[in-house]
Amino acid sequence: MTLTHLLYRSSGRIEHFQGDCDAILAAARVRNAAMSLTGFLHAEDGIFVQWLEGPKPLLDQVVDDILADTRHRDITVFGRGPITKRQFPSWAMGYSNGHQAPLFDWLAERETNSHDLRGYADSLHQFLLLRAA
Ligand SMILES: Cc1cc2nc3c(=O)[nH]c(=O)nc-3n(C[C@H](O)[C@H](O)[C@H](O)COP(=O)(O)O)c2cc1C
């Protein structure tokens, strides 16, 4: 079955960011495990960056829910399409936050500019892989 992925960035709408992240994660891990999905979520300063991967029909179902979820807005999709192998095979949904690892400092050090969509997507991907290592 075709493996596919989604990589996006969004702004959280939630008021109690940490508590809600915990709830989102707990529910996501249960559903992802049941649907053979894996990935990684980073939350920082009200921003989410998430990579999600798995069999295309199952991923598409969950992605529809995520993209329609009112707990975030201003969603920018940086990547969606087939992949040859899972990037986060051991994570029903890994998680890091800005206290553990500041993403935006890391992007600035790499002089990553969000106008270069491909470069920005690559940097987000690399950052999440580093967090998952
Ligand atoms: C930032 C963020 C990340 C999410 N990640 C996942 C996820 O990895 N897997 C998942 O099943 N739901 C995830 N959700 C929750 C979905 O948007 C949705 O609420 C959930 O799948 C349940 O959908 P339902 O209430 O229509 O059954 C996420 C929500 C947010 C706000």
Side-chain angles (χ1 to χ4, degrees), residues 23-89:
I24 288 169
L25 261 184
R29 283 173 176 156
V30 171
R31 192 171 181 210
N32 292 350
M35 298 184 76
S36 186
L37 303 181
T38 48
F40 209 92
L41 175 70
H42 180 82
E44 178 173 340
D45 291 343
I47 301 287
F48 294 114
V49 172
Q50 188 176 28
W51 178 288
L52 193 61
E53 63 194 8
K56 185 171 179 344
L58 298 173
L59 186 101
D60 284 349
Q61 277 179 46
V62 173
V63 166
D64 286 348
D65 290 338
I66 291 178
L67 296 182
D69 195 316
T70 54
R71 288 172 293 184
H72 54 193
R73 61 193 155 81
D74 297 335
I75 298 173
T76 307
V77 173
F78 288 104
R80 184 172 186 176
I83 47 175
T84 50
K85 66 175 176 119
R86 286 184 192 262
Q87 305 292 295
F88 301 94

Side-chain angles (χ1 to χ4, degrees), residues 1-132:
M1 189 176 289
T2 312
L3 267 184
T4 191
H5 86 290
L6 173 78
L7 173 66
Y8 72 87
R9 186 190 65 199
S10 71
S11 307
R13 272 198 117 105
I14 46 192
E15 279 171 22
H16 307 289
F17 199 70
Q18 191 53 53
D20 284 345
C21 276
D22 293 345
I24 288 169
L25 261 184
R29 283 173 176 156
V30 171
R31 192 171 181 210
N32 292 350
M35 298 184 76
S36 186
L37 303 181
T38 48
F40 209 92
L41 175 70
H42 180 82
E44 178 173 340
D45 291 343
I47 301 287
F48 294 114
V49 172
Q50 188 176 28
W51 178 288
L52 193 61
E53 63 194 8
K56 185 171 179 344
L58 298 173
L59 186 101
D60 284 349
Q61 277 179 46
V62 173
V63 166
D64 286 348
D65 290 338
I66 291 178
L67 296 182
D69 195 316
T70 54
R71 288 172 293 184
H72 54 193
R73 61 193 155 81
D74 297 335
I75 298 173
T76 307
V77 173
F78 288 104
R80 184 172 186 176
I83 47 175
T84 50
K85 66 175 176 119
R86 286 184 192 262
Q87 305 292 295
F88 301 94
S90 346
W91 300 89
M93 187 46 61
Y95 174 75
S96 64
N97 63 39
H99 300 297
Q100 296 157 336
L103 167 63
F104 297 104
D105 291 354
W106 190 84
L107 291 174
E109 277 161 26
R110 289 168 59 102
E111 298 182 357
T112 305
N113 181 326
S114 61
H115 296 299
D116 167 16
L117 288 186
R118 183 64 195 268
Y120 194 78
D122 282 347
S123 289
L124 294 180
H125 182 193
Q126 289 309 317
F127 177 83
L128 297 177
L129 284 173
L130 282 174
R131 299 311 305 151

